Amino acid sequence: MAEVPDNALLLAVLQEIRQEQNKQRALLLQTVDYLRKMEQRLDARIVAARDDLELMLKSELMGSLTHFETKIEGLLARHLGAVEKTN
């Protein structure tokens, strides 16, 4: 006949399994929390970089537009001056 396992031994093994599962659950929760925090930090960095790039792009465009306007105004002033001299 097969021997019946000792209940005390079975309980001890089950308690060890439960403790191990609790440790794994705690580690999993810590990992998920850490990943969430990392994602938030990464999102904040991306937003900051996007804002910086947007500001740089606007500055470059405004500088180019201002330079273009200045050149056009200079050309118009010269042409108007030449037209006024001929009249």
Side-chain angles (χ1 to χ4, degrees):
M1 243 203 224
E3 287 187 27
V4 178
D6 187 8
N7 285 342
L9 181 60
L10 185 59
L11 282 175
V13 170
L14 289 174
Q15 286 174 346
E16 287 178 19
I17 291 172
R18 182 171 290 165
Q19 288 172 354
E20 186 65 29
Q21 284 179 335
N22 284 337
K23 288 177 187 176
Q24 289 178 358
R25 179 181 172 271
L27 286 173
L28 180 62
L29 291 174
Q30 288 175 354
T31 303
V32 169
D33 189 46
Y34 179 76
L35 288 174
R36 183 183 51 79
K37 288 177 183 177
M38 290 295 290
E39 181 183 13
Q40 287 174 346
R41 280 189 236 140
L42 181 61
D43 287 345
R45 289 174 118 181
I46 289 172
V47 167
R50 186 193 69 207
D51 291 344
D52 290 346
L53 287 172
E54 183 180 338
L55 180 62
M56 286 179 6
L57 182 62
K58 284 181 180 178
S59 297
E60 287 293 324
L61 288 173
M62 290 302 294
S64 296
L65 181 62
T66 302
H67 179 69
F68 178 74
E69 287 175 345
T70 304
K71 280 180 121 179
I72 294 294
E73 286 174 358
L75 287 172
L76 285 175
R78 270 192 272 152
H79 286 293
L80 285 175
V83 168
E84 287 177 358
K85 286 182 183 178
T86 58
N87 285 336

